[in-house]
Amino acid sequence: VDPLTQVALTRRLIDIDSTSGREAEAGRFLAETLRRLGYEVTEQPVAGDRFNVVASAGAPHVVLSTHFDCVPPFFASREDAGVLHGRGSCDAKGTILAMIAAAERLRANGERRVGLLFVVGEERGSEGARAANLISPGSRFLIDGEPTDNRLGTATRGVYRVKLTAAGRAAHSSLPELGVSAIEKLLDALTAMRQIEWPGDAAMGRTHYTVGLISGGVAPNVIPPAAEAEVMFRTVGDYVDVRRLLERHIGALVQLDDVLVVPPVRLKTVSGIESAAFAFTTDIPWLDRWGTPLLLGPGSVRVAHTDDEHVAIADLLRASDLYEQLALTLMSQAG
Ligand SMILES: [Zn+2]
């Protein structure tokens, strides 16, 4: 897989719409490409016609892994002045071919202990990774690929999604003293949250959150009997610390229901490669049976998930060099 082929295959993969839930065709393309290169390929069923692609050329010590589903909307590839545009160009189809190119160079030099794992459903609940974790390949290290501008991740934040529900009592709005406004209670709770000092971490910074959804009320002339909001925290430690602060400060105003918890992750780094902490979550928490995790990938999370998703072709080629270098370093370590 020379650089020209790497870019051409990346474009072909981008041009297959694999929005989460519709990954089967892209999976078949990957499985076929890897079989043609001479890998032993397993298509691991996940749900419906969707499957993970697992490839090896020997017992893997290091596994290169990322996802081949994308966020909507799909848009096809375009190349312009050394930059590759298209859905998945940086998150994470460019990464897939950079990983394959690295594995191919290692294999050409007789190193067969590098495996490949490409999963579905990362963008919607990590169902592909959860399925992959049922397999135990015996690998010592997992290099996950997400857009980090080719830096090694030192840590990624966790997620804590919580639903806030306020209960009130409906009444005619001309007689407010007969009712209790759930919306006012919810607003009091959300306002109180702004004053809370959330947990911090030296590497990752302060916990932050988004009030992503809010709803309530039944009509303009009715005291609202119910209101709710869904809040997503990007955590830097145990979510229980955030939960306790919520209970203490707003527990009297709203009911708290946990929706989703993903723990923050500390990652292995290797000297000689630039590193940084990242606020996003990855499949890594669901792949703990695949080895000590590392995180690195081409492109920037600033353009991932946008309608301007793109990656410099030089960064794709640099990523494949870095995957090769990392794999060689890790191959000499016991894990
Ligand atoms: Zn991604």
Side-chain angles (χ1 to χ4, degrees), residues 67 91-92 122-123 146-147:
H67 59 96
D91 189 12
E122 190 272 342
E123 303 286 8
E146 290 290 348

Side-chain angles (χ1 to χ4, degrees), residues 181-235:
S181 168
I183 288 181
E184 297 291 343
K185 274 195 193 172
L186 182 63
L187 290 176
D188 286 348
L190 294 173
T191 305
M193 279 174 62
R194 293 180 179 164
Q195 311 304 324
I196 298 175
E197 184 152 336
W198 303 105
D201 172 88
M204 286 183 274
R206 179 87 38 202
T207 300
H208 49 70
Y209 68 89
T210 302
V211 183
L213 290 169
I214 187 163
S215 64
V218 290
N221 56 354
V222 178
I223 306 290
E228 61 179 55
E230 212 173 293
V231 182
M232 180 144 156
F233 288 88
R234 297 286 179 169
T235 57

Side-chain angles (χ1 to χ4, degrees), residues 12 31 80-81 114 148 169 194 196 199 209 234 249-250 288:
R12 282 184 62 190
D80 179 29
V114 176
T148 64
R169 187 169 62 243
R194 293 180 179 164
I196 298 175
Y209 68 89
R234 297 286 179 169
H249 292 276
I250 64 170
D288 59 342

Side-chain angles (χ1 to χ4, degrees), residues 109-293:
N109 291 323
E111 181 52 77
R112 307 176 77 85
R113 292 177 296 162
V114 176
L116 296 163
L117 168 67
F118 302 127
V119 302
V120 298
E122 190 272 342
E123 303 286 8
R124 276 227 313 251
S126 292
E127 55 189 330
R130 290 170 205 246
N133 217 28
L134 301 173
I135 311 172
S136 188
S139 48
R140 298 296 183 85
F141 298 98
L142 176 89
I143 304 174
D144 189 40
E146 290 290 348
T148 64
D149 290 302
N150 282 332
R151 292 169 293 176
L152 276 171
T154 55
T156 57
R157 286 178 180 244
V159 161
Y160 172 45
R161 263 171 62 193
V162 59
K163 195 163 123 182
L164 279 45
T165 308
R169 187 169 62 243
H172 197 286
S173 60
S174 66
L175 297 167
E177 66 277 13
L178 296 184
V180 177
S181 168
I183 288 181
E184 297 291 343
K185 274 195 193 172
L186 182 63
L187 290 176
D188 286 348
L190 294 173
T191 305
M193 279 174 62
R194 293 180 179 164
Q195 311 304 324
I196 298 175
E197 184 152 336
W198 303 105
D201 172 88
M204 286 183 274
R206 179 87 38 202
T207 300
H208 49 70
Y209 68 89
T210 302
V211 183
L213 290 169
I214 187 163
S215 64
V218 290
N221 56 354
V222 178
I223 306 290
E228 61 179 55
E230 212 173 293
V231 182
M232 180 144 156
F233 288 88
R234 297 286 179 169
T235 57
V236 299
D238 193 339
Y239 85 98
V240 169
D241 299 337
V242 173
R243 181 71 149 94
R244 281 205 198 100
L245 285 166
L246 287 172
E247 279 164 10
R248 188 187 319 151
H249 292 276
I250 64 170
L253 292 164
V254 292
Q255 182 186 320
L256 300 165
D257 292 297
D258 300 345
V259 179
L260 175 71
V261 176
V262 181
V265 177
R266 306 273 161 187
L267 295 153
K268 180 179 168 64
T269 55
V270 167
S271 62
I273 299 179
E274 202 191 329
S275 62
F278 293 93
F280 55 77
T281 60
T282 70
D283 271 341
I284 286 172
W286 315 111
L287 290 170
D288 59 342
R289 295 180 74 194
W290 285 70
T292 303

